[in-house]
Amino acid sequence: MDTVAAAVERLDRLAATPRVHALATAFEKAGHELALVGGPVRDAFLGRAVNDYDFTTSATPDEILAIVTPLASATWDVGRDFGTIAARVDGETVEITTYRSDVYDGETRKPEVAFGDTLEGDLIRRDFTVNAMALRLPQRVLVDPSGGVEDLLAATLKTPGAAEDSFRDDPLRMMRAARFTSQLGFTVADDVRQAMTDRAQTLSIVSIERVNDELSKLLKTDDPVPGVRLLVETGIAALVLPELPATMLERDEHHHHKDVYEHSLTVLSQAIGYEKERHPGEAPDLTLRLAALLHDIGKPTTRRLEPGGVVTFHHHDVVGAKLAKKRLKALRYDNDTIASVYRLIELHLRFFGYTEGGWTDSAVRRYVRDAGPELERLHMLTRADVTTRNRRKADRLGFAYDDLEQRIAELREQEELDSLRPDLNGDQIQQILGLKPSREVGEAYRFLLELRTDEGPLGEEEATRRLLEWWSARS
């Protein structure tokens, strides 16, 4: 069965589902048009599962509410001013939007919202031709005014009208093009790429929250690398994530080093591979992916050309962690994500000391303690950071990390490694030293924690003896 015939069959099955049939019948009885639009229609041609039910209609928001309320277990406004009503029908969330024919002034993202009167007019204003198709209901007629089917078959991303005009209407569509490049495996048309390059700076008028959302969606695709490349090549990344294109370091005939930009993309891909291997079927780990992409952004600042053709990047881990924190704050990521990414980048080189000489149990404890809840992500990031083509070196690093993980597992069994605490708590310290809550109690606690990290569990009696010894020497 060819692709079009298979898609028609899938669309027929979709239209026949109870929720879609009930909505189509209700809108027809009320004298209004209804069509399944955008993603669900596109995904039917691609053979992908339908996760979102998006409809467009000739009905106004008030009329939509009146029609769907008898069918829905719940309804709510997700953008009444923009014509969108959401409802829970037959256990699934659906969104129904009045035909739109907005007018933009080209200077801001805020359009003058206007409702349209035809399905074709609504489709022409959409972002890409592959999203500008609809299935008119209940007739089950495919409406494709801009050749979306042909572009789907060619795996090409085009805009319904001139790309310049489309990106003037909504500059965020340029980032969406990068996301669809990764999500769908499509190639952008030449005029789309050129318009993205020419209009990259106009993305500055889009709210940071929307940019954040689109960047996150890109990174959560199965293979974000093609989309990330497109952002860099068109100059959009220079505005959104400037630290990344900055890793494209210049070389000269005397000094050689690994291509930091290409290395970063490889690490991102490999980290996703470890993530899927360890947590199959789970939601994408945005924190790990951000850390992998940004882990070496401290290198341009710390790059030093040494005699003999050696290039060094001393302390790029610490510098990179600070740069990532600053950038993610500017992109309005939440504090937990920022703190986790900071810690992962700060620690991503720590393991390489393990390969230079066997770590003591104390060093292993410190590694676990410093990583805290990010330990598993640190495992994946550190393994992904090995991109050498030297098979012997790669095997040596892999075996070393296997050994480290084994030692962590053994110590975890022996010592409650995940909840590393001193042998005495704060109350006991105060009682033994005759102190009230104070700075000195905190110092004593940290002293005992260092002992616990260095030497393992001591027991109450030995910890008390060592505490008194430390207190006497300190006094």
Side-chain angles (χ1 to χ4, degrees), residues 132-442:
M133 300 182 293
L135 184 68
R136 197 187 294 276
L137 299 168
Q139 300 89 342
R140 304 185 190 180
V141 174
L142 182 67
V143 182
D144 179 19
S146 53
V149 171
E150 289 82 356
D151 293 337
L152 270 173
L153 296 177
T156 302
L157 211 57
K158 296 181 179 180
T159 53
E164 281 276 332
D165 295 338
S166 180
F167 298 153
R168 182 180 295 110
D169 284 351
D170 185 357
L172 191 70
R173 289 174 174 175
M174 297 185 288
M175 290 192 68
R176 205 172 293 146
R179 194 232 306 173
F180 286 134
T181 296
S182 283
Q183 184 177 317
L184 304 178
F186 283 14
T187 301
V188 295
D190 290 343
D191 65 317
V192 172
R193 177 183 287 270
Q194 188 60 53
M196 290 173 70
T197 304
D198 293 343
R199 298 197 60 81
Q201 291 299 317
T202 65
L203 197 64
S204 61
I205 70 173
V206 178
S207 73
I208 291 298
E209 289 78 9
R210 295 182 72 223
V211 170
N212 171 313
D213 182 59
E214 202 56 56
L215 177 62
S216 298
K217 285 179 179 177
L218 165 59
L219 291 177
K220 288 191 280 190
T221 61
D222 282 346
D223 182 15
V225 170
V228 171
R229 286 191 188 280
L230 183 60
L231 293 181
V232 171
E233 291 165 5
T234 56
I236 292 172
L239 188 72
V240 175
L241 207 62
E243 294 80 7
L244 182 61
T247 60
M248 303 173 80
L249 303 179
E250 294 181 7
R251 302 183 180 206
D252 60 39
E253 57 183 287
H254 303 296
H255 296 84
H256 302 281
H257 58 80
K258 186 180 293 184
D259 187 319
V260 180
Y261 170 66
E262 290 296 334
H263 167 74
S264 298
L265 296 184
T266 301
V267 172
L268 173 60
S269 292
Q270 293 188 167
I272 292 172
Y274 285 118
E275 174 194 327
K276 291 178 178 178
E277 179 183 304
R278 294 192 179 212
H279 300 284
E282 293 189 16
D285 189 340
L286 179 61
T287 298
L288 174 64
R289 297 178 184 205
L290 283 166
L293 184 63
L294 303 178
H295 78 286
D296 272 351
I297 59 174
K299 282 190 170 179
T301 305
T302 59
R303 181 178 183 234
R304 297 292 180 269
L305 307 179
E306 308 290 353
V310 176
V311 180
T312 62
F313 303 99
H314 294 310
H315 307 301
H316 77 268
D317 45 350
V318 176
V319 172
K322 292 177 180 176
L323 289 173
K325 181 178 182 179
K326 182 177 180 181
R327 177 54 51 196
L328 296 181
K329 275 189 173 181
L331 287 169
R332 307 279 174 83
Y333 278 93
D334 62 274
N335 290 335
D336 288 344
T337 298
I338 294 171
S340 295
V341 172
Y342 180 95
R343 178 63 77 188
L344 289 167
I345 295 176
E346 182 186 43
L347 295 177
H348 83 273
L349 291 182
R350 179 79 68 86
F351 157 73
F352 293 97
Y354 188 84
T355 64
E356 296 166 4
W359 278 2
T360 62
D361 285 351
S362 168
V364 175
R365 291 189 197 99
R366 288 181 188 279
Y367 188 74
V368 174
R369 183 194 69 186
D370 292 348
E374 302 308 322
L375 182 62
E376 187 182 20
R377 285 185 176 128
L378 186 58
H379 288 331
M380 292 188 280
L381 176 60
T382 302
R383 287 183 180 275
D385 199 20
V386 178
T387 61
T388 178
R389 294 181 181 178
N390 183 323
R391 177 47 53 193
R392 182 175 297 178
K393 181 179 180 182
D395 287 345
R396 178 171 60 82
L397 291 169
F399 293 148
Y401 211 91
D402 289 343
D403 184 65
L404 175 58
E405 288 203 70
Q406 180 61 33
R407 288 185 64 189
I408 289 171
E410 291 169 356
L411 285 172
R412 181 176 280 134
E413 280 187 20
Q414 298 166 15
E415 303 181 9
E416 298 182 5
L417 205 56
D418 292 325
S419 54
L420 203 60
R421 296 185 184 88
D423 295 273
L424 302 172
N425 62 32
D427 290 339
Q428 290 170 309
I429 291 170
Q430 291 177 51
Q431 185 176 0
I432 292 166
L433 299 182
L435 296 174
K436 293 182 178 180
S438 60
R439 178 172 54 83
E440 287 83 359
V441 175

Side-chain angles (χ1 to χ4, degrees), residues 7 10-11 14 35-56 95 97 119 122-123 126-135 142-143 148 152 157 176 179-180 183-184 186 217:
R10 283 190 289 269
L11 286 170
L14 190 59
L36 191 67
V37 67
V41 180
R42 177 199 69 213
D43 289 344
F45 280 90
L46 296 175
R48 296 162 57 98
V50 174
N51 297 313
D52 301 310
Y53 289 84
D54 296 329
F55 297 87
T56 187
E95 288 193 1
T97 303
L119 175 58
D122 177 272
L123 294 175
R126 292 178 178 261
D127 54 4
F128 301 105
T129 60
V130 297
N131 295 329
M133 300 182 293
L135 184 68
L142 182 67
V143 182
L152 270 173
L157 211 57
R176 205 172 293 146
R179 194 232 306 173
F180 286 134
Q183 184 177 317
L184 304 178
F186 283 14
K217 285 179 179 177

